[in-house]
Amino acid sequence: MRGDEQAEYVLAGKKGQRLIIKLTSVPIKSSVFQLLGEDNDTLGLEYDANYDYSGVLPKTGDYFITVTRPGQSKGASRYKLTVTVR
């Protein structure tokens, strides 16, 4: 990922399921993610420093994960996004 590029993922979840997200990148912490529920609900997450998340889904529906580079970072980033729903 370079500059202001971003990747978007959608997953369907059910209320009460545990969602676990882990983001690793090279260089370290050169990518972050944002997790939103339907209606752009932030689920209590701040956008600028998300590398890991574990929480219970508050409702059934689609959830949106956007991976991007933080701030005005220059250069490129490679990342691995692991998403687990239990």
Side-chain angles (χ1 to χ4, degrees):
M1 170 176 314
R2 296 182 182 280
D4 63 354
E5 292 177 336
Q6 62 182 25
E8 298 176 338
Y9 303 91
V10 179
L11 70 98
K14 294 182 181 176
K15 180 179 180 174
Q17 288 183 310
R18 175 157 299 277
L19 173 62
I20 302 166
I21 301 172
K22 181 163 179 69
L23 178 67
T24 55
S25 56
V26 177
I28 294 174
K29 297 187 177 183
S30 60
S31 294
V32 295
F33 71 86
Q34 179 181 34
L35 173 63
L36 295 175
E38 292 177 335
D39 302 321
N40 290 323
D41 178 10
T42 63
L43 306 175
L45 291 176
E46 295 300 322
Y47 180 66
D48 59 351
N50 292 316
Y51 311 107
D52 297 290
Y53 171 79
S54 178
V56 176
L57 297 178
K59 60 185 177 181
T60 298
D62 289 336
Y63 291 83
F64 304 89
I65 302 168
T66 303
V67 178
T68 188
R69 294 178 49 79
Q72 300 297 320
S73 301
K74 295 189 187 249
S77 174
R78 289 181 306 178
Y79 70 90
K80 177 180 177 181
L81 180 69
T82 304
V83 178
T84 304
V85 180
R86 297 184 185 164

